[in-house]
Amino acid sequence: MKVVRLLNIWSCQRWIRAQHSSARTCSSVSDRVQRRAVSTQSAEDLLKTDVLEPEEQDVFSVEEGTDVKEVKVPRRKYALLMAYSGNDYYGMQINPGVPTVESVLISALINAQCVHKDCTTTERAWLHLQRCARTDKGVSALGQLVSVRLFKSDNLMERINAHLPADIRILGVKQVTKGFNSKSMCEARTYSYTLPTFALTHGTEPDSSFRLSREDFHRFHHILTFYQGTHRYHNFTSHKTAEDPSVCRHIFRATLQEPYLDRGHEFTTIELTGQSFLLHQIRKMVGLALAVSRGAVPEDILPASVAAENRLRIRTAPGLGLVLEQTYFKWYNQRYGGDGLHAPLTWEDAAPAAQAFRKDHILPAIVQGELEDLSMTQWLTTLSHCGLEEL
């Protein structure tokens, strides 16, 4: 009788798993994305963690004359709003042997005595560090949010910035709940991609006299709007198949900004807002849009690229023009932003500093890369030769 009961339980569990598996489709992902980004269960768990856990402290031994006494230093979880120019870094996340934004940040935290001196780049459990997004080599940010556990202090931003290079800045610091995780609790991200306008039309070369026509402007904007909604982006990343539920991503907005002049050349900016993005997804989205706009591939390749039955190799646009602009934490702000203990994660006060950083560090690197190093020009040459290959 006991064996029969165990078999019945096992059968029920298999049936439940099968139901869950069959429900993982793009349409269900789209519905779930638009309802909420944080589940009720996870919210309850976070609340218990924040309310019930005791205050975290580190105990240090301090010598005072002939006596040694213990000193307790409280720790808190903070959200750091970061801006950086990615031109000289191999991405955000630590990569041994090469300079990254995260390795520079951790070194600054140690030198500013915001963390324990033994908290090295290889021993990071103490930090509880999470970044809102992984940015690739050469990619910049104005709205990167890092959650990290630090010693309690009233002037953290000034202390950390004193040990950072000019191309990496902390623009804001706010204390958050103990259970806060900048990656898992971020509901949406906005990226921009700045490029010269000659790249949007067929047969054009770098020329200071070139100006994008209104017809070509609206055509490229129309191409971008295809991405809005939920699609399978298995062709826009690496090592993913169409059957993997994680390739279903929802894009809220895809637009083209009005052109402007910089150093006599015309530039424009693509803006994309989505819940989250796969590795290289945005750069491949830009690459395919440019291929269509310049006539390297037909426009009907757009729906084919997100069809489950197709496997395509899409060219990856350069990382130079990509910038993480903003991150969104609506659920967290509604739940904790008005509790009297934590401030909402909105950064209006940091906007002037962010725009100054864009002007002084990010845009000059993009313009120099495009006009002097010919980043986009060289990539377009490979695009015309290779186009879009089917596997």
Side-chain angles (χ1 to χ4, degrees), residues 320-339:
L320 176 65
L322 188 58
V323 180
L324 173 60
E325 293 282 346
Q326 191 173 355
T327 53
Y328 304 88
F329 297 86
K330 182 179 179 181
W331 178 89
Y332 176 87
N333 290 340
Q334 290 176 342
R335 176 62 187 86
Y336 294 105
D339 65 0

Side-chain angles (χ1 to χ4, degrees), residues 285-338:
M285 291 169 69
V286 172
L288 184 57
L290 290 175
V292 172
S293 181
R294 292 178 65 86
V297 293
E299 191 166 346
D300 59 9
I301 200 69
L302 290 169
S305 69
V306 296
E309 64 272 16
N310 293 333
R311 188 64 176 159
L312 304 172
R313 183 182 291 114
I314 298 173
R315 302 288 296 174
T316 306
L320 176 65
L322 188 58
V323 180
L324 173 60
E325 293 282 346
Q326 191 173 355
T327 53
Y328 304 88
F329 297 86
K330 182 179 179 181
W331 178 89
Y332 176 87
N333 290 340
Q334 290 176 342
R335 176 62 187 86
Y336 294 105

Side-chain angles (χ1 to χ4, degrees), residues 8 21 26 39 41 56 100 125 130 138 149 178 191 216 258-259 270 317 330-331 338 384:
N8 287 338
S21 178
C26 275
S39 68
Q41 182 62 40
E56 295 178 305
T100 66
Q130 284 289 344
R149 185 171 59 175
K178 292 180 182 179
Y191 284 84
D216 288 336
E258 288 292 335
I270 298 167
K330 182 179 179 181
W331 178 89
S384 63

